[in-house]
Amino acid sequence: MKTVWKLLRQHISIAQFAGFVLANLAGMIIVLFCLQFYNDVIPFFSGNDSLLKNDYLILSKSVGTSGYGKNNRFTESDIEDIQGQPFVQHVGEFTSSQYHVSAGINLIGGQMQLSTQMFFESVPDRFVDIETATDWHFDERTGFIPIILPKNYLNLYNYGFAQSRSLPQLSEGILGLIGLDIRISGNSLSRNFKGRIVGFSNRLNTILVPESFMQWSNRTFGNGHQAEPARLIVEVNNPADDKLVQYLQAKGYEPENDKLDAGKTSYFLKITAALVIGIGILISALSFFILMLSIYLLLQKNTQKLENLLLIGYSPEQVSRPYQILTVALNTVVLVISLVVVFLVREHYLELFGKMWPGFESSSTTTAVLTGFLLLGLTSILNILTIRHKVNTLWDGTR
């Protein structure tokens, strides 16, 4: 191996390989940085919180100043009309609790108890993304209720109530470990339940419970009558579609909390990220051809030596291995430098995000790291196969 490398490295052009490294480095950094930046910044525009599916709107009927006493609920024909629109994928109804709910929580080892009257709502489970199905399931035998709270409830406690009472601030993880004592009463019945917060959403301003629990509890503690929904959750193809905006205005439907504008921003952010990633992949592809050109020129210059090595008994695998190791090493160096650069830049903008948005929590770097290793594997395999093909061509010519 060492002998073969000494014979073959004489015609290596440092400038050519440096050009490949720089070009590949630029492409790799663009791809990985864009992916990571998109994952970190998208919650600010789309409200993405990993619990609820993307590209949806929460619709209600506008009331206006003259709407006192007006029925602002969605009828079955309204829902069918919305579902029939070409820009709509799925429509779900909000179901409200028909009973009284109170919940309590013990803090500081039981030294302080917080309790409040509250309400429950549910949406179809297809709109909720929970990592494990058991986290979003109600079993009447155990009486355990999983709950999703709005993120702003936690912010109100941490930055309002806790500071005014000199109480410790709570993170999502810690609060998720604290059990809730829930009491439900209605229809001449009452029962105590245990609950736990399984997630926080910054996209829904409601206290969400599983649909199975809502159906059971309304039958048991409510009047059993299914009222027309006052709000709908609608999954759309493209929040930036002009036809969607025109339809909502014509019908007098209002998206909750400017979700339509946020959806548009999220959609255009996705398009921009895809274009930038495409440019990065194009640069990486061009760098791949630069490397292949350099290797081919190097093989061409060493054709006589390669043929002699093959004639005296070296196998094509032994002859091609130095070039293969060289390309894999260069690709690995590019990946390592790219990840270091991306993480260093990320530290700076995460610090800025933390100042702009208190309570900001960064996303995982898994996607960027896995993408980097995927690109490393693909380019390395292509390099190895291309070099092996070239050496095999020379080997066929010597026989």
Side-chain angles (χ1 to χ4, degrees):
M1 177 68 181
K2 292 182 179 180
T3 304
V4 175
W5 175 243
K6 289 180 180 179
L7 290 173
L8 301 180
R9 69 181 181 182
Q10 296 177 6
H11 296 289
I12 289 179
S13 174
I14 302 299
Q16 290 177 345
F17 284 102
F20 157 75
V21 170
L22 292 176
N24 197 16
L25 185 62
M28 186 73 75
I29 289 177
I30 290 174
V31 172
L32 300 186
F33 176 76
C34 188
L35 278 174
Q36 189 59 52
F37 184 79
Y38 174 81
N39 288 335
D40 287 329
V41 79
I42 192 62
F44 301 125
F45 296 99
S46 67
N48 182 26
D49 50 28
S50 76
L51 294 177
L52 301 171
K53 293 186 176 181
N54 298 325
D55 297 334
Y56 78 83
L57 303 174
I58 299 174
L59 300 183
S60 59
K61 289 187 176 181
S62 59
V63 178
T65 56
S66 61
Y68 180 77
K70 177 183 177 181
N71 182 9
N72 64 338
R73 295 183 175 275
F74 289 92
T75 64
E76 185 176 349
S77 61
D78 291 333
I79 298 174
E80 291 178 354
D81 181 64
I82 296 174
Q83 183 65 75
Q85 300 304 313
F87 42 77
V88 173
Q89 291 185 333
H90 303 287
V91 179
E93 302 178 11
F94 277 82
T95 304
S96 300
S97 55
Q98 303 171 355
Y99 41 78
H100 297 287
V101 183
S102 62
I105 182 174
N106 294 317
L107 298 175
I108 319 178
Q111 299 179 17
M112 183 174 184
Q113 184 179 28
L114 301 177
S115 60
T116 182
Q117 297 290 321
M118 59 191 301
F119 66 95
F120 289 148
E121 280 191 305
S122 70
V123 296
D125 291 340
R126 66 175 303 135
F127 292 95
V128 183
D129 286 338
I130 296 293
E131 292 183 357
T132 60
T134 55
D135 285 339
W136 197 242
H137 174 71
F138 171 72
D139 188 345
E140 184 181 350
R141 294 172 298 179
T142 62
F144 171 77
I145 308 173
I147 298 172
I148 294 177
L149 283 183
K151 183 69 173 290
N152 55 8
Y153 281 24
L154 181 60
N155 293 336
L156 285 173
Y157 169 81
N158 284 332
Y159 305 115
F161 186 82
Q163 290 185 356
S164 65
R165 300 296 181 90
S166 299
L167 294 173
Q169 293 186 338
L170 300 175
S171 67
E172 294 183 16
I174 293 177
L175 197 56
L177 299 175
I178 301 176
L180 299 177
D181 297 319
I182 300 173
R183 183 173 182 82
I184 295 178
S185 58
N187 198 21
S188 301
L189 298 173
S190 63
R191 179 176 170 181
N192 295 324
F193 296 86
K194 289 294 183 179
R196 183 172 63 85
I197 300 171
V198 298
F200 289 85
S201 169
N202 50 16
R203 305 185 69 185
L204 283 180
N205 291 323
T206 189
I207 303 172
L208 208 63
V209 295
E211 187 178 31
S212 58
F213 169 75
M214 183 61 69
Q215 294 174 350
W216 173 83
S217 58
N218 276 343
R219 288 195 307 266
T220 305
F221 302 98
N223 54 31
H225 175 67
Q226 182 67 35
E228 294 177 337
R231 293 192 299 168
L232 298 177
I233 180 170
V234 182
E235 187 176 357
V236 296
N237 298 321
N238 174 11
D241 192 341
D242 290 336
K243 294 181 180 179
L244 169 62
V245 179
Q246 295 172 3
Y247 176 80
L248 296 181
Q249 292 175 346
K251 291 291 186 178
Y253 299 156
E254 295 181 343
E256 185 177 284
N257 295 333
D258 296 326
K259 293 295 185 183
L260 189 60
D261 293 336
K264 290 181 180 180
T265 306
S266 172
Y267 178 76
F268 286 118
L269 182 62
K270 291 177 182 178
I271 296 297
T272 303
L275 289 175
V276 175
I277 291 175
I279 293 173
I281 293 176
L282 178 61
I283 294 175
S284 296
L286 292 175
S287 69
F288 169 79
F289 287 109
I290 292 175
L291 177 61
M292 284 296 93
L293 180 60
S294 301
I295 294 294
Y296 266 60
L297 291 175
L298 186 59
L299 290 171
Q300 192 66 34
K301 292 178 181 179
N302 289 327
T303 298
Q304 188 64 43
K305 294 179 181 178
L306 293 173
E307 291 177 346
N308 291 336
L309 289 172
L310 293 171
L311 288 172
I312 63 176
Y314 282 92
S315 66
E317 292 83 359
Q318 292 174 309
V319 174
S320 60
R321 190 172 297 124
Y323 298 107
Q324 294 171 343
I325 294 176
L326 175 62
T327 57
V328 173
L330 290 175
N331 289 328
T332 303
V333 170
V334 167
L335 175 61
V336 172
I337 296 176
S338 299
L339 290 175
V340 171
V341 171
V342 169
F343 289 154
L344 289 177
V345 176
R346 182 173 183 262
E347 287 298 323
H348 288 286
Y349 74 69
L350 286 183
E351 182 179 355
L352 177 62
F353 286 173
K355 294 178 180 178
M356 296 173 62
W357 294 282
F360 166 76
E361 295 181 1
S362 60
S363 62
S364 172
T365 60
T366 303
T367 301
V369 173
L370 291 180
T371 301
F373 278 100
L374 178 62
L375 292 175
L376 170 65
L378 289 176
T379 54
S380 297
I381 290 173
L382 288 175
N383 292 149
I384 290 173
L385 294 177
T386 304
I387 293 170
R388 179 64 184 276
H389 174 71
K390 179 63 177 177
V391 174
N392 284 337
T393 302
L394 295 176
W395 168 247
D396 294 336
T398 60
R399 291 187 295 177

